[in-house]
Amino acid sequence: MFRTKIKLLFLGLFALFLCASIRMIYIKATFGKYYKGEGIPKDSTVIVKNRAFSLEKFQEQGRRGNICSDDETILVANIYIYDLYWYPSKISQVDSSLFMAKVDSLIDIFCQITPEKPRSFYERNIKKAYPKYREAYNIAQTKIKSNDKNVRAEGLKEKAQLEKQKVLIRVSGLNNNKKWVKQKHIDAIDELFAQWSDSKSAFKGGCQKDKRFVRRQLSGGFPISVLGMFDIKPDKYGVDEMVFRKGLEGFYDEELSGEIIPKQILKVNNNTIRLRKNRHIDPQDGKNVVTTINSDIQRIAKSALERQLYLLGAKFGAVIVMEVKTGEIKAISNLDLKNGRYVEKSEHTMAEKYEPGSTFKMISLIAALETGKIDTGDVVHCEKGDFSLARAFEISDNEGLFEAVKRSYGDLNTFGFALKTMGLTLDLNVEISNAQKPTLKTRTSSLADFKNITHGYSINVPPLYMLAYYNAVANDGVYVRPRLVKKIVNPNLDKHNVEIMEPEIVKDRICSYQTVKKVQKCLEGVVTHGTARRIRDELYLASLRDTTLHEPISPLIAGKTGTAFQNIGGKYVNTKNSSFIGYFPADAPKYTCYVLISGSTIDAGAAAAPICKEIAEKLMAHLNEFAQNNQNNVSQKYPSCALAYGQDLACFYQGLGIKTPHLKDDAFISTTVGTANNISSKPFEFPRKGMPSFKGCNVRDVVFLLEQKGYKTIVRGVGKVERVEYEKKTAYVYLKN
């Protein structure tokens, strides 16, 4: 009897398997190509034996790339947020007791997400409402099991209405980062209901979590107006999407955007089926943009600006810190007054332009000196007497600078042409999508316009362009393009995945080396005894009191103040744009700094210059501390030599107790790298193209080598060689202590 039952069971299972196989063969033969998405005309539906097949197109896009600081800390990225709802129907009868045991903790999480809602709202609509809901749901289930047709219909209707009930917790706002349901909230809910039954695991605690991602700044204190801004616009389906239009997001949109791959989905009787051919086609993620912005310098610059803005109650302010040699922008901040607080709102340094006021006088001074018709020691007529041109610049005298320019050029057209020749209007290709360029008003015969332009009116220049030109002076005349991006990293490649952005020279020289040195001296004079006297540093002031010094040391900062009345509606008002542009340390410039305070009645010397001083002092202290820490970790090395005659060098190292068996006594050595164990050297050779600068070398050796090469040498100054300038067969050797 038992064996008979086993045989019958086996036969039943075999028959079931046979029927299933026949059914599968039938479906594959009848519908196979349609389930593969084949044979379905574009934009139409195929009906096959009561099954409607249609293909719909959709696009899948890779994740947008990150924007990072110079040490590759992520500043801006796509992050997940959630729209959160609570459905009592998602809580099964089995999990009901667990939910009631944890409901108070769940309400705590909801209150964190929506602090604007009182706790009583959730107590009433969730904690007290759920037992009543469960009772009504059980009644509806009982009615559904009734033999009475009308009662069953009533029960089905009640159940459908109950399943629609929900409590909206939060729809995350794209424009407000304080109104998000974040990943930490979802993790807290899931952890709270970790024992939830597997059948309801997606709705732990009765919560429906609709996940999406948005673009947001992850680290505070960075300029979102520079990093990127976007508009939120509905797409063709009415879903909000971000359209990047400003800042780095807009300029590098193509690089940051993930790859878009067109795909198809199959609809069978309105049920969506993913096609197999799409499973292994994944779009590539966007590239990561590594900026030049340094976290420490950004923090120092922003806090200094913010503190001064609150003190003055100005309308807005901006600051930029740039590295002299590379043009890398290490910090940038724009703060606008909004509801009593200063916040990142608009981009003032690159996307707007202003009349620069007296900071433009440095450019007028360069233009005048370049003609050779006037020098810094020449006397010019000023508003309060006759002074040297250098003194007129230090006290920012309008009349004095205008007279110097007028003597040099005679009319505005000639002066305007000189400004363009100096490279002031060259396009810097600033790396934000809404960048502005300077506007010069030079085609006019108006004497008033001529006069105004010489001291920074009737001309509109973006702050970054003014900073870049001052940076060229700090860089001994070499005009370097300001840069916001250090490199672009492609995460989809294992090799050759980094594109390095090298420093770019806009103009080899904005003026002669002699003019640059004179202007640098004048910029120091503005700080030591001119309109920026209040930012003299303590070390400089101490040198003034030291009677053993023949002359004081250089100040920490060299720069120029600029105060321009604001032009509103074609009329000048009493409020001002107060700016200061300087570089530091003055004797060996490493950084340039631009500061703008707008909407106050205070002159630049009191409003803007102190911000630069605070940044310079804190930054130099930070760098000195960093250098000291590094020095403590580096083993002592023997000194190296840039250039020396072999015999002299051998004597020097023998005095230190170092053997030099490989040095050629009768040859010049170009480089010598010394360590405790080894001395390596290379004979000096003139390059095939161009001539060496010989910076840091002994003047005797340099003169000897140049004269052997057939050059007439003219030495100026004292100390080591600073640089050599070549004019035909004459070499000007400039020295500096």
Side-chain angles (χ1 to χ4, degrees), residues 238-257:
V239 179
D240 284 347
E241 67 173 356
M242 290 172 284
V243 179
F244 298 95
R245 60 181 176 85
K246 289 185 178 181
L248 290 170
E249 293 275 23
F251 191 86
Y252 286 101
D253 185 48
E254 183 177 344
E255 288 81 1
L256 288 164
S257 294

Side-chain angles (χ1 to χ4, degrees), residues 5 115 178 190 225-226 275 344 369 465 469 526 560 564 573 576 660 682 700:
K5 288 183 178 180
K178 295 181 179 178
D190 290 347
S225 57
V226 174
L275 294 172
E344 281 279 352
L369 293 176
Y465 277 75
Y469 218 81
V526 172
K560 182 72 182 75
V573 296
K576 304 170 182 176
T660 57
K682 185 172 71 173
R700 183 190 66 175

Side-chain angles (χ1 to χ4, degrees), residues 363-552:
I363 298 171
S364 297
L365 178 64
I366 293 172
L369 293 176
E370 273 295 273
T371 64
K373 296 178 181 179
I374 195 167
D375 205 347
T376 53
D378 293 346
V379 175
V380 291
H381 179 70
C382 299
E383 295 170 10
K384 295 183 180 180
D386 294 338
F387 301 104
S388 69
L389 177 56
R391 183 56 183 162
F393 182 79
E394 292 166 0
I395 62 175
S396 199
D397 189 272
N398 294 341
E399 291 290 341
L401 264 294
F402 173 60
E403 182 177 329
V405 173
K406 197 168 185 304
R407 279 193 210 173
S408 303
Y409 293 97
D411 60 69
L412 180 56
N413 290 335
T414 310
F415 178 54
F417 180 78
L419 294 178
K420 292 179 181 179
T421 303
M422 289 162 56
L424 182 65
T425 57
L426 290 174
D427 189 355
L428 294 179
N429 295 315
V430 179
E431 299 153 305
I432 67 168
S433 58
N434 52 330
Q436 295 289 309
K437 301 175 185 176
T439 303
L440 289 175
K441 184 180 180 182
T442 59
R443 293 188 176 277
T444 173
S445 58
S446 170
L447 185 64
D449 286 337
F450 186 14
K451 184 175 182 179
N452 285 339
I453 288 177
T454 59
H455 54 265
Y457 284 88
S458 299
I459 179 173
N460 288 281
V461 186
L464 186 65
Y465 277 75
M466 291 298 298
L467 176 68
Y469 218 81
Y470 271 74
N471 190 82
V473 172
N475 200 22
D476 288 339
V478 181
Y479 195 4
V480 182
R481 185 175 78 87
R483 294 189 298 136
L484 273 167
V485 172
K486 198 170 188 176
K487 59 185 177 181
I488 296 176
V489 181
N490 189 339
N492 306 294
L493 301 176
D494 294 328
K495 295 181 179 179
H496 310 296
N497 64 331
V498 179
E499 179 186 354
I500 304 293
M501 303 300 185
E502 299 291 349
E504 181 182 338
I505 295 176
V506 179
K507 194 174 177 64
D508 291 331
R509 185 173 298 284
I510 60 170
C511 61
S512 68
Y513 183 70
Q514 295 90 330
T515 295
V516 166
K517 288 303 175 184
K518 291 174 183 178
V519 172
Q520 288 176 348
K521 203 67 179 175
C522 289
L523 290 171
E524 288 187 24
V526 172
V527 174
T528 57
H529 44 281
T531 55
R533 288 189 305 276
R534 66 175 60 234
I535 67 168
R536 293 181 294 183
D537 58 287
E538 289 301 320
L539 193 59
Y540 171 77
L541 293 173
S543 72
L544 290 179
R545 298 188 291 268
D546 190 345
T547 57
T548 63
L549 296 176
H550 294 292
E551 59 180 41

Side-chain angles (χ1 to χ4, degrees), residues 268-310:
V268 182
N269 292 344
N270 289 325
N271 294 314
T272 300
I273 298 176
R274 292 272 179 174
L275 294 172
R276 179 175 292 181
K277 64 182 181 181
N278 291 334
R279 291 179 183 175
H280 302 294
I281 304 175
D282 295 319
Q284 292 190 340
D285 292 338
K287 299 175 183 178
N288 297 328
V289 173
V290 179
T291 70
T292 59
I293 296 174
N294 179 275
S295 302
D296 292 327
I297 302 177
Q298 178 69 25
R299 173 180 48 79
I300 290 169
K302 184 184 177 184
S303 62
L305 175 65
E306 190 173 27
R307 190 178 300 108
Q308 185 76 337
L309 285 172
Y310 276 116

Side-chain angles (χ1 to χ4, degrees), residues 668-697:
F668 275 91
I669 308 301
S670 64
T671 56
T672 303
V673 180
T675 67
N677 301 318
N678 183 47
I679 294 292
S680 60
S681 61
K682 185 172 71 173
F684 170 81
E685 292 179 357
F686 280 93
R688 292 183 179 180
K689 292 184 179 180
M691 293 292 288
S693 67
F694 292 108
K695 185 171 182 178
C697 298

